[in-house]
């Protein structure tokens, strides 16, 4: 074939290096036009119904436009050169497209790209925090209405925010801040918004109240662009926290929610944007994060693939929902997926019911990890997946297997287009799918029923002129030819290209009606690649236009006799060009539609199995696979019956005629049987279990997440005989597991309560990912290093399958510890580092550092050498050494804390801290705080983004005490909070933060310090703070005891008559806390009223219902307690007494009922319930006659009705500060739901709070604490310490290079938690100065921005976000009620006391926010007692789900410090 080379036409200056060639055959050949680009063209799209094409050069920031389907390209000149970042086509208006810029300026076209108009969104830029989140959201009914998602950074803090326009960005308006994605309800033409909702209804996922983390995200809805907003009820009458995404999928709006400490998700669905339902899946299937994919659905149901294997195996189950999207049934099993959640699934376009899916044939081997090769097979369905069959070669029996979505090589659909019935794919015949390069091009012209091989080798392919033209190009390397066929792939012609290229993209108009194709290709060169765009126009074939006789009636389905058959209840046909007629349809931009000839009578093929039913092996019936849905009001007795599902349902979207047909889905009479739920008896019940062991060594709760629909409450425990038991009903019944295995320890996953690991003395490790329902195993690379008391397993917060194993490896009798990494839950391991003592994931949830690992490693890999601290963010392919002589490191909240030996005094420690994992800094004590210490300090808490540090002052053994100092919001300076705080010889401190309420903490202080220094017994007083340690006060005593008698002293004189409580240092379990995370405002404690704390054996039991402001005596004597049903049930039992009785209260301790649980008296070691305190079951851990006993207490029979938030079952409660007249606390009033005490109902699912910010408040004195170098005077004011200078506030300019100004010190600084505004701004002086280098900016801003405004931009907002971060991490930290202890040398407290030169402190958190927002995290998770012995007797609350929660100890002589193992302690 002879080709002509036409003269190039110069379009632009030569510097752009663009050129055009037009190539054409002598006669009847496609016209080829070539144009070169400087960089790879990407994101190509057509304006629907036109030949206008847009493409971008992402690398150069340019946009190009062609008006003739790629024949000639012009640079869009209205867009600033190099500023384009991303091009978006409007999905519902073929006139509109958008170019999003690199900065704050963006562009819109309303005339298909001919002209572009700029617009901006203030200081925001397009958010790129989540690459899967689309920056634009569209309104299906009005193309002028668009939502745009941006991010605005002020200093080092960034906020995501959303904007909207109602006039096509002629004007742009602010919608809402702290959004995580927004969508119009009317975001798809198939979605029908309820008459009760506005057409402008918008749903947004937003940050939680003072928490930026996903578990607290909320879904908000507004009909007036968020002038007003509300949180919709998704689950009955309850709102749902943890919303991570909301999307419109055809006729459905779907919201996904994730709970804490689990990867299990819940889906909520609405088909009218008003009424929501939870999506229900069969019992043996659950949704997990990163393991479900919503697929291309029908107009009548949602289709979703759910992974049911490990990510490495990557197989799933394809589900289809009923017509309202709430009940899902499995239709195809063992679907092929990849690690990114892409599923080999595609529907044939425009033909109802036909889909292609790839399944894994050797799924059992793949799941076990023993498969040599993944045997993938292709299947086709003609009834929306209910039944599938092989793909077959026309005229033969060979099976065909095709590459699908997981192996895409082009854009658009993989197989089909708008060309009726024509399907193409790359694959092979045989037993299973081979590699892509081993595939050939196959064509089907009967919608996939039969196939023929069209061309050898893998090809890129496309459809044109409604299937009259099929085009392909070689796709296994470079080529200089392409091929085409005009008779449905029977015969092919080859055409030469101007040069040899590698095809990257082949496309045409979306309706496949055009005769023009666009090919993007490249030439691999050295040093640069070249890229070309080709326009290939088949008008050059000069074929005639088809007439009426050139078309045939093509049916979508034929029966075995070749007659039209029913498909989804109808016989459908298309008018399609006859394959061998030599003509072109030549009807551009006309999308062919199917015609319905007749509606078929319903038959069995029109039905599928209903929810919780599966098809029998012979395929004749649907049998029960789970509990049946019982209509409300039915099954009032066990012998009753109800009308229920037959097991069948009509396939959603099927339009068969029921009249005279098989109506398999008619309801049938079913027995109630197990579906019967007995009414509440009004009584408590119990179950006693005796064990052969003497005692229980360890036990852990594996609590299901709030998104789980399972009803079990799982506990695992191990006896002193190493027997392991599991209970799925909260201890009513126990099953011994792993009987023949030598289990030496149980390790619950730190961050995922569904997972638990059982360690043996060998390399074998058993584990469960579903709370013990199924147990698997893997082989660790070494045996665990038991002698070092290391934690062999370290867990990752964001990727639950990532594990670090630390074990002992010996060579020629020389042993050392080696750390290994697994990214597939132990299936494979790679060595990380040798000669380590400990390795941990750090900041695991931060996207840019999720591989960050810290290790303590012996220097020069010598076992006796000092430890160095090293880190790596790429599994130690490269590493950084931070410190060379380390005692220990720990993480707590956002801080990484390191203790090293002081270079000037090897007997003393020096502290360092970091919040970004890269930069460490020292910090100093208050200059007037000169304390002789013995290397002993304890990090108590940093949940409010301020470190509370206990520094030991008195270190004489058994007479220890110290001072608590508190850092500022960036951790760089400390001020005194309270002195004389009690601690014990192990470093534990009487300090406890209240759960669920901001800023409340309780300590015990030593009142007779001088006498204690001389060896006299401590006299302790209890004090409380309501503003995060800025002010402390004694506890107000109740006026009467539990019997209503006067308390015995004058409660108005608090110094001699106050309440004192037994604290952390006296507990059997440090996690038996005063408060509960779900019982908001409640505190229980034991203690006494008087001038100091007396013996615990003399204590009584007290309760507070208002976060510690007032207290009531509820029981005479010393009791242990447990919360249930979010505080609506309180159970107490006498401590250290043999008993057969417990007492319980259903009204927050106002009245009590005794309950006898045994005929024999027992010793009660502990009382526990779920970590969230939401259960109505409790467990007593007992001993009777030298044997271990458990007693389950079941309170579910007390009440049968679940409380309703919208009824009068709840009231709004707000915490307050006792010295303030209003309820303002930290600058705001938060509102919580609390159950009315007289409501005869149970709470049920967690009522998570706070649910509302009732008010933002003006600043008052309680919002401030004393600044560095200042101390609190007797009148409450902050005064400069004599002899000291005020701090240098200009240093903040060094920390924040973007900062414009700073204020001179006033003696006050804001409490990091406060959000107050205006009022008494005690930290802002009238003297404001410019930061160096910002004088012009200062002058400009000073004219237009108040001092408060500057404060908001530069200080307050970073502190608020960082405070929320700390609060979240504290709430999720396994050891949040313990304390990280660093120090205590020697194992004894010597008389000579070396000085601590620097306390543990932290580098500025504000600096780190630039890279950390919104995912600062990580928390300390190591026990002072180690994994295999020592420490506290029992573990409760959060530790049940995630492991032990005691202190981390930094000491050169741990063995002495930890103490010897004791048979009575575990």
């Amino acid at each position: 074939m002879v080709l002509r080379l036409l003269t190039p036409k110069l379009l632009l200056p030569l510097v752009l290096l663009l050129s055009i060639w037009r190539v054409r055959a002598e006669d009847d050949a496609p016209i080829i036009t070539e144009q070169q680009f400087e960089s790879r063209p990407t994101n190509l799209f057509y304006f629907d119904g036109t030949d206008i094409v847009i493409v971008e050069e992402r690398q150069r920031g340019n946009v190009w436009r062609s008006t003739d389907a790629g024949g000639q390209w012009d640079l869009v000149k209205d867009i600033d050169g190099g500023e384009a970042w991303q091009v978006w086509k409007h999905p519902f208006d073929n006139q509109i497209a958008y170019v999003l810029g690199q900065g704050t300026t963006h562009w819109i076209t309303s005339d298909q790209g001919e002209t572009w108009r700029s617009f901006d969104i203030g200081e925001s830029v397009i958010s790129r925090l989540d690459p899967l989140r689309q920056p634009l959201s569209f309104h299906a009914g009005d193309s002028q209405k668009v939502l745009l998602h941006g991010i605005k950074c002020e200093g080092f803090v960034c906020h995501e925010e959303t904007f909207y326009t109602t006039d096509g960005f002629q004007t742009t308006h602010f919608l809402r801040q702290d959004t995580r994605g927004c969508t119009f309800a009317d975001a798809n033409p198939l979605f029908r918004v309820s008459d009760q909702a506005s057409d402008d209804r918008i749903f947004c996922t937003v940050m939680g109240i003072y928490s930026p983390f996903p578990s607290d995200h909320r879904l908000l809805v507004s009909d007036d662009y968020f002038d007003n907003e509300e949180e919709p009820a998704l689950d009955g009458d309850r709102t749902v926290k943890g919303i991570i995404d909301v999307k419109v999928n055809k006729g459905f709006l779907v919201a996904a929610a994730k709970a804490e400490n689990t990867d299990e998700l819940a889906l909520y669905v609405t088909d009218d944007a008003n009424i929501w339902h939870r999506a229900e899946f069969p019992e043996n299937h659950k949704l997990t994060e990163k393991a479900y994919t919503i697929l291309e659905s029908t107009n009548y149901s949602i289709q979703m693939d759910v992974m049911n294997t490990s990510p490495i195996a990557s197989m799933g189950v394809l589900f289809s929902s009923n017509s309202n999207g709430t009940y899902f049934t499995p239709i195809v099993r063992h679907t092929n997926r990849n690690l990114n959640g892409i599923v080999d699934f595609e529907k044939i376009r425009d033909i109802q019911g036909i889909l292609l899916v790839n399944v894994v044939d050797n799924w059992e081997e793949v799941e076990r990890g023993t498969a040599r090769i993944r045997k993938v097979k292709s299947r086709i369905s003609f009834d929306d997946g209910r039944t599938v069959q092989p793909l077959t070669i026309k005229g033969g029996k060979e099976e065909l297997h095709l590459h699908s979505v997981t192996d895409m090589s082009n854009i658009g659909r993989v197989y089909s287009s708008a060309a009726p019935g024509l399907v193409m794919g790359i694959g092979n015949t045989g037993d299973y799918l081979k590699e892509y390069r081993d595939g050939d091009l196959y064509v089907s012209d009967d919608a996939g029923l039969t196939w023929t091989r069209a061309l050898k080798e893998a090809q890129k392919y496309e459809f044109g002129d409604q299937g009259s033209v099929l085009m392909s190009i070689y796709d296994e390397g470079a080529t200089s030819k392409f091929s085409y066929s005009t008779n449905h792939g029977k015969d092919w012609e080859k055409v030469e290209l101007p040069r040899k290229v590698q095809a990257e993209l082949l496309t045409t108009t979306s309706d496949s009606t055009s005769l023009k194709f666009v090919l993007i290709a490249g030439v691999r060169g050295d040093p640069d690649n070249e890229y070309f765009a080709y326009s290939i126009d088949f008008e050059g074939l000069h074929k005639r236009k088809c007439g009426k006789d050139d078309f045939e009636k093509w049916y979508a389905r034929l029966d075995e006799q070749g007659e039209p058959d029913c498909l989804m209840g109808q016989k459908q046909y298309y008018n399609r060009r006859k394959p061998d007629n030599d003509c072109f349809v030549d009807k551009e931009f006309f999308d062919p539609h199917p015609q319905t000839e007749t509606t078929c009578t319903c038959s069995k093929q029109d039905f599928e199995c209903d929810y919780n039913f599966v098809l029998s092996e012979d395929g004749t019936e649907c049998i029960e696979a789970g509990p049946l849905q019982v209509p409300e009001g039915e099954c009032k007795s066990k012998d009753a019956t109800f009308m229920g599902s037959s097991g069948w349902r009509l396939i959603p979207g099927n339009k068969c005629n029921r009249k005279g047909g098989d109506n398999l889905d008619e309801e049938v009479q079913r027995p109630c049987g197990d579906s019967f739920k007995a009414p509440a008896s009004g009584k408590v019940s119990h179950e006693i279990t005796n064990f052969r062991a003497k005692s229980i060594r360890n036990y852990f709760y594996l609590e299901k997440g709030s998104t789980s629909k399972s009803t079990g409450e799982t506990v695992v425990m191990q006896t002193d005989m190493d027997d392991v038991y599991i209970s799925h009903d909260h201890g009513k019944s126990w099953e011994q597991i792993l009987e023949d295995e030598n289990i030496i320890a149980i390790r619950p996953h730190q961050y995922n309560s569904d997972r638990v690991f059982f360690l043996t003395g060998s390399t074998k490790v058993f584990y469960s990912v579903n709370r013990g329902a199924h147990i698997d195993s893997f082989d660790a690379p070494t045996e665990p290093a038991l002698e070092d008391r290391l934690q062999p397993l370290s867990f990752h917060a964001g990727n639950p399958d990532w594990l670090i194993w630390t074990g002992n490896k010996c060579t020629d009798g020389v042993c050392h510890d080696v750390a290994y990494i697994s990214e597939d839950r132990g299936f494979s391991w790679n060595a990380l580092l040798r000669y380590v003592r400990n390795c941990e994931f750090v900041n695991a949830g931060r996207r840019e550092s999720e591989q960050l690992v810290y290790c303590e490693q012996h220097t020069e890999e010598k076992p006796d050498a000092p430890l160095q601290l090293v880190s790596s963010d790429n599994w130690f392919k490269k590493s950084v050494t931070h410190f060379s002589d380390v005692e220990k490191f720990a993480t707590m909240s956002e801080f990484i804390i390191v203790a090293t030996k002081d270079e000037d005094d090897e007997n003393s420690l020096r502290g360092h801290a970091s919040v970004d994992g890269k930069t460490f800094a020292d910090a100093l004590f208050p200059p007037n705080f000169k304390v002789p210490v013995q290397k002993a300090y304890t990090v108590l808490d940093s949940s409010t983004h301020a470190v509370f540090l206990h520094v030991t002052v008195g270190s004489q053994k058994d007479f220890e005490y110290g001072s608590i100092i508190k850092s500022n919001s960036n951790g760089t300076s400390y001020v005194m909070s309270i002195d004389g705080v009690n601690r014990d010889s192990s470093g534990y401190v009487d300090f406890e933060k209240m759960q669920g309420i901001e800023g409340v903490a309780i300590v015990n202080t030593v009142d007779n310090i001088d006498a204690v220094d001389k060896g006299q017994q401590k006299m302790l007083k209890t004090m409380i703070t309501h503003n995060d340690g800025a002010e402390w006060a004694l506890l107000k005593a109740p006026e009467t005891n539990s019997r209503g008698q006067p308390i015995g002293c004058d409660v108005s004189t608090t110094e001699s008559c106050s309440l004192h409580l037994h604290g952390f240092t006296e507990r059997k379990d440090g996690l038996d806390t005063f408060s509960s995370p779900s019982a908001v405002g409640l505190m229980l404690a034991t203690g006494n009223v008087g001038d100091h704390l007396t013996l615990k054996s003399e204590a009584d039991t007290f309760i507070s219902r208002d976060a510690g402001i007032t207290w009531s005596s509820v029981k005479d004597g010393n009791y242990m307690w447990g919360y249930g049903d979010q505080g609506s049930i309180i159970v107490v039992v006498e401590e250290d007494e043999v008993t057969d009785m417990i007492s319980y209260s259903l009204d927050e301790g106002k009245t009590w009922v005794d309950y006898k649980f045994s005929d024999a008296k027992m010793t009660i070691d502990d009382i526990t319930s779920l970590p969230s305190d939401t259960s109505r079951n409790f467990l007593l851990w007992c001993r009777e006659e030298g044997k271990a006993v458990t007693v389950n207490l079941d309170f579910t029979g007390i009440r049968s009705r679940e409380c309703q938030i919208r009824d009068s079952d709840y009231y709004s409660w707000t915490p307050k500060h006792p010295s303030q007249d209003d309820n303002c606390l930290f600058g705001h009033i938060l509102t919580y739901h609390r159950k009315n005490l007289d409501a005869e109902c149970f709470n049920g699912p967690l009522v998570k709070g706070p649910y509302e910010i009732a008010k933002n408040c003006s600043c008052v004195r309680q919002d401030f604490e004393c600044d560095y170098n200042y101390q609190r005077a007797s009148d409450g004011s902050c005064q400069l310490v004599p002899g000291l200078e005020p701090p240098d506030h200009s240093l903040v300019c060094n920390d924040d290079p973007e900062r414009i100004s700073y204020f001179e010190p006033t003696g006050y600084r804001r409490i990091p938690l406060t959000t107050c505004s205006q009022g008494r701004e005690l930290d802002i002086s009238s003297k404001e100065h410019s930061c160096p280098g910002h004088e012009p900016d200062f002058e400009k801003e000073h004219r237009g921005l108040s001092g408060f405004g500057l404060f908001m931009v530069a200080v307050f907002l970073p502190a608020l976000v960082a405070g929320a971060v700390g609060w979240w991490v504290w709430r999720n930290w396994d050891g949040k009620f313990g304390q990280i202890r660093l120090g205590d040398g020697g194992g004894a407290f010597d008389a000579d006391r070396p000085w601590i030169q620097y306390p543990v402190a932290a580098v500025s958190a504000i600096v780190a926010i630039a890279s950390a927002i919104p995912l600062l995290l990580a928390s300390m998770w190591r026990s002072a007692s180690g994994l295999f012995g020592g420490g506290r007797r029992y573990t409760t609350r959060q530790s049940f789900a995630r492991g032990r929660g005691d202190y981390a100890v930094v000491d050169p002589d741990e063995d002495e410090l930890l103490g010897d193992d004791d048979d009575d302690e575990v």
Side-chain angles (χ1 to χ4, degrees), residues 1336-1350:
D1337 295 330
F1338 174 73
E1339 292 298 326
K1340 179 180 178 181
E1341 295 290 341
H1342 194 65
R1343 290 194 299 269
L1345 187 62
S1346 68
F1348 170 74
L1350 277 173

Side-chain angles (χ1 to χ4, degrees), residues 233 235-239 632 1201-1212 1232-1243 1247 1251:
D235 194 358
D237 72 335
R238 301 187 183 217
T239 60
E632 189 173 350
R1201 183 177 70 86
E1202 184 176 306
C1203 300
Q1204 301 297 308
I1205 290 178
R1206 291 174 180 171
D1207 295 339
S1208 57
D1209 294 330
Y1210 292 90
Y1211 68 97
S1212 296
Y1232 298 79
H1233 287 301
R1234 280 180 67 168
K1235 179 176 167 290
N1236 280 310
L1237 298 186
D1238 57 356
E1240 296 288 334
C1241 59
F1242 65 93
N1243 279 307
V1247 182
Y1251 74 89

Side-chain angles (χ1 to χ4, degrees), residues 297-308:
S297 300
T298 70
N299 298 349
Y300 311 97
S301 69
I302 302 172
Q303 292 191 310
M304 181 185 305
D305 191 84
V306 178
M307 187 171 70
N308 63 341

Side-chain angles (χ1 to χ4, degrees), residues 1083-1103:
M1083 302 178 80
L1084 272 162
T1086 59
N1088 60 273
V1089 174
D1091 59 355
H1092 67 278
L1093 186 65
T1094 59
L1095 296 176
K1096 195 170 186 182
S1097 59
E1098 301 172 357
D1100 294 325
T1101 304
F1102 299 85
I1103 192 170

Side-chain angles (χ1 to χ4, degrees), residues 236-444:
D237 72 335
R238 301 187 183 217
T239 60
V240 174
K241 298 293 188 292
I243 302 297
I244 59 174
D245 200 9
V246 59
K247 287 284 190 299
V248 175
N249 184 275
K250 290 197 173 179
F252 305 94
L253 183 62
V254 182
K258 179 182 179 297
E260 299 171 85
N261 310 316
T262 180
D263 55 2
E264 187 170 357
L265 301 180
L267 289 187
Y268 299 90
V269 181
T270 178
D271 57 4
D272 64 359
N274 188 40
I275 299 174
W276 292 79
H277 302 277
R278 176 166 177 154
E280 302 286 353
F281 287 81
E283 275 204 331
N284 57 339
H285 293 279
K286 71 173 186 177
L287 291 180
T288 58
E289 193 174 18
K290 303 177 184 177
Y292 76 99
T293 306
I294 298 178
L295 302 167
E296 179 188 8
S297 300
T298 70
N299 298 349
Y300 311 97
S301 69
I302 302 172
Q303 292 191 310
M304 181 185 305
D305 191 84
V306 178
M307 187 171 70
N308 63 341
T309 65
S310 70
I312 296 300
S314 286
M315 295 180 291
V317 178
L318 180 61
F319 287 87
S320 179
S321 78
N322 61 349
S323 58
N324 68 0
T326 54
Y327 290 100
F328 285 78
T329 56
I331 54 176
V332 181
R333 300 179 186 276
H334 317 306
T335 54
N336 189 52
R337 303 166 54 95
N338 64 16
L339 292 173
N340 296 319
I342 306 301
V343 184
D344 279 346
F345 168 94
E346 186 173 290
K347 290 181 173 291
I348 299 301
R349 177 171 168 175
D350 295 333
I351 303 179
Q352 189 78 4
I354 304 181
L355 59 87
L356 284 92
V357 61
N358 281 353
V359 298
V360 180
D361 189 51
N362 59 334
W363 59 271
E364 291 175 297
E365 294 177 3
V366 172
E367 200 165 341
R368 289 195 302 264
T370 59
R372 263 189 332 104
I373 190 170
R374 192 182 185 95
K375 296 181 179 179
V376 175
K377 294 190 173 186
S378 296
R379 295 292 182 260
I380 189 169
S381 173
F382 294 93
D383 53 11
D384 249 350
R386 176 179 173 265
T387 59
V388 296
Q389 63 191 56
L391 279 64
T392 56
I393 298 299
K394 185 174 291 187
K397 294 184 178 180
E398 284 186 290
E399 286 191 21
L400 174 66
H401 311 288
L402 299 176
H403 290 272
S404 185
V405 187
T406 60
D407 199 12
M408 285 188 68
S409 63
N410 205 5
I411 63 171
R413 289 178 175 269
V414 177
Y415 302 122
S416 64
S417 71
L422 285 170
V423 189
M424 287 195 283
I426 304 300
N428 58 270
T429 57
D431 294 331
Y432 54 84
L433 185 64
K434 300 177 182 177
E435 294 293 327
Y436 183 79
R437 288 179 174 270
D438 295 328
D440 300 322
L441 176 64
Y442 287 83
V443 177
S444 170

